[in-house]
Amino acid sequence: MPQSEHWSAQPYLERIAQADPQRALDWLLRQQGTFTDVDPGVLGGLLQVARAIGGTSACVVRAVLDQEGTVEALWHELVVWLIDIPGSERDVDWVEVAKRVLVHVVEHPAGQHWELQSQLGELQRAAYGPDGAGEAAVVRAVRGALEAVVEAAVASEGEHAPLDRADDLRQVVSADDFGPSATRIAVRARLDFARTEFQHGVRSRLPAAL
């Protein structure tokens, strides 16, 4: 069992997860309560095991985020886990984790605009991959997550100054062209997703603010 500041069995369980992901997942689900009120390092070890398990670990990772301060303490580990999960395995729980990470990024900007752009792209790929649209529930979850990121960006005090109402968001530009505005990156991603839905025959209602 994990201790408050140490989990000596983590490397062993990670090896179990690589050989038998379902066995490791079943154990984590049974013991999930023992990972509350532990050091971020212990939760980081849990995320390493989750990476070895794959997409089915999303429910466990989502539960980890219910602990206060987890996103801030484990931001890098969460981003790595999000990227490692193949697009075909990204379910509603994966989308929820991505949404919380992205909302945290726009609420605590640190000039990581390229990373924000990249993660928004990963989020959209959960809904639409090379083979077309994914499950309807996942598509809806991605749409809601993108809207939540836009709302968080617009509401962020740090974003008010650099906003330029003259920006023409219809222009197709690269991430390097977005300048200092996380809001523009988020809105651009939301509009791109609406266009993708339109191309797939899905009627997507944009928020009134857009």
Side-chain angles (χ1 to χ4, degrees), residues 85-98:
I85 303 303
S88 60
E89 297 180 16
R90 296 175 181 180
D91 58 11
V92 172
D93 286 324
W94 184 97
V95 174
E96 177 63 24
V97 174

Side-chain angles (χ1 to χ4, degrees), residues 37-49:
D37 300 322
V38 295
D39 188 83
V42 174
L43 294 179
L46 176 61
L47 287 174
Q48 287 184 269
V49 175

Side-chain angles (χ1 to χ4, degrees), residues 90-172:
R90 296 175 181 180
D91 58 11
V92 172
D93 286 324
W94 184 97
V95 174
E96 177 63 24
V97 174
K99 182 186 78 173
R100 295 192 197 182
V101 170
L102 285 163
V103 167
H104 175 79
V105 169
V106 298
E107 288 179 343
H108 303 81
Q112 299 167 323
H113 295 139
W114 181 89
E115 187 66 37
L116 175 61
Q117 175 77 5
S118 176
Q119 289 303 310
L120 284 166
E122 292 291 338
L123 178 60
Q124 294 183 67
R125 279 188 283 278
Y128 292 97
D131 299 325
E135 295 182 9
V138 174
V139 175
R140 288 195 299 270
V142 170
R143 186 188 308 134
L146 287 168
E147 291 175 0
V149 173
V150 170
E151 291 174 4
V154 171
S156 174
E157 291 186 8
E159 281 293 300
H160 292 172
L163 283 180
D164 182 358
R165 294 183 182 276
D167 281 345
D168 187 352
L169 290 169
R170 293 171 298 180
Q171 297 178 20
V172 178

Side-chain angles (χ1 to χ4, degrees), residues 2 6 12 16 18 23 26 36 60-62 76 82 93 111 128 138 141 158 163 165 180-181 185 188 198 203:
H6 185 61
Y12 169 73
I16 293 293
Q18 292 167 350
R23 180 184 175 195
D26 290 343
T36 57
V60 174
V61 176
R62 180 176 179 176
H76 176 72
L82 286 167
D93 286 324
Y128 292 97
V138 174
L163 283 180
R165 294 183 182 276
S181 174
I185 295 174
R188 176 76 261 177
F198 179 79
R203 293 182 178 273

